[in-house]
Amino acid sequence: MAEEKLLEIKDLHVTVDGTEVLKGVSLSVGEGEIHALFGPNGSGKTTLLNTVIGFARYHVTQGSIWFKGQDITNATIDERARLGVGISFQRPPTIRGVTLRSLISFSSPSLTDEEIERTAERLDAREFLDREINAGLSGGEMKRTEMLQIILQSPDFVCLDEPESGVDLENMALIGKAARIALGRDSFDGAGCRSIKSRRADYKAGLVITHTGQIMDHIFVDKGHVLMNGEIVCSGNAAELLGEIRSHGYTECFRCAGCAGRRA
């Protein structure tokens, strides 16, 4: 039986402010899979995630996005969120006049205040609940509040845009654990994924942008893709791809013998 595709992107062309950024991207993520997205700055990685989420600034001129068997190419952000698509941003905005607690309560109305408080405490983010969103926070503090939101939202498909960005080594283990929890691989009580998930199909799926690969020390990635100049130039084993990138850089990694037969 063929594995079901949770997210399927077909020949996606996207313009931003009149400039074509994505030029025919195709990839699919199966149920319970985590894929990593590599690529130099400006290659279109964040554009791809923001298009999947549905931001109006990102205009699909060709191709389609399918989620859970539904064409969501023209769906609104809230429609996609209700279907189970969520994102943790690399650089989340500061929102004046809105507290983190109120945003979480609005987006996840079934949560009790005790649940919010308990989860925030475990992410060392409780002190930020009644502050304006991201106001005066460091990069690492913003990441903790972002992970708090995605864990409590509990989407079926998790987009993580450079979760290690701005995080020091001391806090990387916490962010890594938070990513595992958001993806259904771990729990705050230390039980581990085997005791809380009986089947791989129960895991959340995800698409993770990473430059350093640090997040891959904390989550197992099933497949990697190299995105350059708006196109996927290579797909394959994520750890091997990262090793080639570190050794040869982006311009040469997909030409090397280690990538033979893996070009997308």
Side-chain angles (χ1 to χ4, degrees), residues 211-212 239-254 256 258-259:
H211 273 299
T212 68
E240 291 179 9
L241 286 177
L242 181 60
E244 298 292 352
I245 292 165
R246 286 172 171 168
S247 298
H248 305 289
Y250 285 111
T251 57
E252 295 298 327
C253 74
F254 69 94
C256 72
C259 288

Side-chain angles (χ1 to χ4, degrees), residues 14-255:
V14 175
T15 62
V16 182
D17 299 330
T19 300
E20 187 175 42
V21 179
L22 299 183
K23 306 170 183 178
V25 171
S26 295
L27 66 84
S28 60
V29 181
E31 295 274 4
E33 290 184 347
I34 301 173
H35 288 210
L37 199 60
F38 308 108
N41 291 329
S43 60
K45 303 183 301 299
T46 295
T47 292
L48 180 58
L49 259 59
N50 287 343
T51 303
V52 169
I53 290 297
F55 285 111
R57 183 185 176 205
Y58 300 83
H59 300 283
V60 176
T61 59
Q62 185 177 320
S64 59
I65 305 169
W66 292 74
F67 184 67
K68 295 182 178 178
Q70 299 184 44
D71 186 347
I72 64 168
T73 311
N74 298 310
T76 62
I77 293 178
D78 63 297
E79 288 171 335
R80 299 179 198 214
R82 290 190 187 98
L83 280 173
V85 182
I87 189 170
S88 172
F89 297 101
Q90 179 191 2
R91 297 185 184 90
T94 297
I95 305 176
R96 298 290 183 181
V98 180
T99 67
L100 179 60
R101 187 192 301 273
S102 63
L103 177 63
I104 292 171
S105 297
F106 177 78
S107 61
S108 304
S110 63
L111 292 173
T112 65
D113 200 55
E114 181 183 354
E115 289 172 316
I116 295 171
E117 292 264 353
R118 184 172 62 248
T119 308
E121 181 71 28
R122 289 167 174 171
L123 283 171
D124 195 19
R126 189 175 180 180
E127 64 182 292
F128 309 130
L129 284 174
D130 296 309
R131 291 173 56 173
E132 294 175 314
I133 296 169
N134 295 323
L137 301 189
S138 68
E141 290 169 340
M142 285 186 186
K143 284 298 178 184
R144 296 206 301 273
T145 63
E146 281 290 288
M147 296 309 297
L148 171 64
Q149 292 173 67
I150 201 84
I151 287 171
L152 292 175
Q153 181 186 346
S154 190
D156 298 319
F157 190 86
V158 179
C159 297
L160 301 178
D161 192 346
E162 293 194 47
E164 64 270 71
S165 177
V167 180
D168 59 34
L169 291 176
E170 185 178 0
N171 285 298
M172 191 60 227
L174 179 59
I175 296 301
K177 184 175 182 65
R180 293 197 306 273
I181 292 167
L183 290 159
R185 268 71 172 173
D186 208 338
S187 66
F188 274 125
D189 61 12
C193 62
R194 288 189 178 180
S195 62
I196 64 171
K197 297 291 178 182
S198 59
R199 297 180 300 115
R200 180 182 176 84
D202 292 327
Y203 292 170
K204 307 291 182 69
L207 188 57
V208 182
I209 294 175
T210 179
H211 273 299
T212 68
Q214 281 182 297
I215 191 64
M216 292 169 56
D217 294 333
H218 301 273
I219 58 174
F220 176 80
V221 175
D222 297 278
K223 191 173 184 179
H225 308 276
V226 179
L227 186 63
M228 292 179 62
N229 300 316
E231 300 178 87
I232 291 180
V233 297
C234 185
S235 297
N237 180 283
E240 291 179 9
L241 286 177
L242 181 60
E244 298 292 352
I245 292 165
R246 286 172 171 168
S247 298
H248 305 289
Y250 285 111
T251 57
E252 295 298 327
C253 74
F254 69 94
R255 297 194 184 107

